[in-house]
Amino acid sequence: MSVPVTDPAQLPPAFEKALNSGNLDEVLDLFAPGAVMRTVTGETVTGQALRDYTAGSIAGNAHLSNGPSRVVAGGDIALLSEEWTMEITTPDGHRRKATGTTANVARRSPDGTWRMAVLNPLGTA
C-alpha cells in the first residue's frame, strides 16, 4: 500500500486513484485477505478470480469516478457507500459507461490499516 489507509473514508478515493493509475498491485493491496466482490454482471469473485477481474478492468483502461462517501464504522468494521461512474473499453473495443451505488464492507487489519473485505458495486440492486 503506497499510503496506509488509516480511516475507512479514505478507501474509496484510494481505490479510485489506484485503479485509474492502472496499478494492479496497489488496487489489490486495498483488499483484505479473502476479499470478495460481486461484479457488475452479478458474478461473485474472490482470490485469483478477483485478481483477474481487476486486471481486466485495468486492461480495459477503466476510469472510475466516485461521488461523496457515506461511512458507518463500528469497531473494526465499516459500511461504505458512494455513487460511482466507470468508463471502460470492452474486449470488442467499445467504450462503455456504467453507474451504481456501492454497499461495501471494510475491515481494520491488526496493523491499524483499513482494507475492503466485501465489494458490492451495485449495492442493493
Side-chain angles (χ1 to χ4, degrees):
M1 188 176 308
S2 61
V3 175
V5 175
T6 57
D7 178 339
Q10 296 170 336
L11 278 169
F15 185 86
E16 178 182 324
K17 180 180 177 189
L19 186 71
N20 291 345
S21 73
N23 189 326
L24 179 61
D25 290 333
E26 196 171 312
V27 174
L28 295 175
D29 201 32
L30 295 169
F31 297 157
V36 62
M37 173 188 254
R38 178 179 165 228
T39 70
V40 294
T41 62
E43 180 184 10
T44 300
V45 293
T46 191
Q48 185 63 44
L50 177 57
R51 181 182 184 82
D52 294 346
Y53 182 82
T54 305
S57 295
I58 289 171
N61 194 29
H63 180 79
L64 176 65
S65 298
N66 284 325
S69 297
R70 293 166 297 284
V71 178
V72 178
D76 292 337
I77 298 174
L79 175 65
L80 299 98
S81 180
E82 66 272 340
E83 283 77 35
W84 58 269
T85 301
M86 181 183 284
E87 291 186 32
I88 191 166
T89 302
T90 59
D92 64 5
H94 291 93
R95 194 78 176 155
R96 302 281 187 231
K97 183 176 182 179
T99 62
T101 303
T102 66
N104 296 329
V105 176
R107 183 173 55 228
R108 186 176 11 222
S109 301
D111 67 3
T113 60
W114 288 85
R115 290 185 169 81
M116 302 301 293
V118 179
L119 297 96
N120 186 5
L122 298 179
T124 58

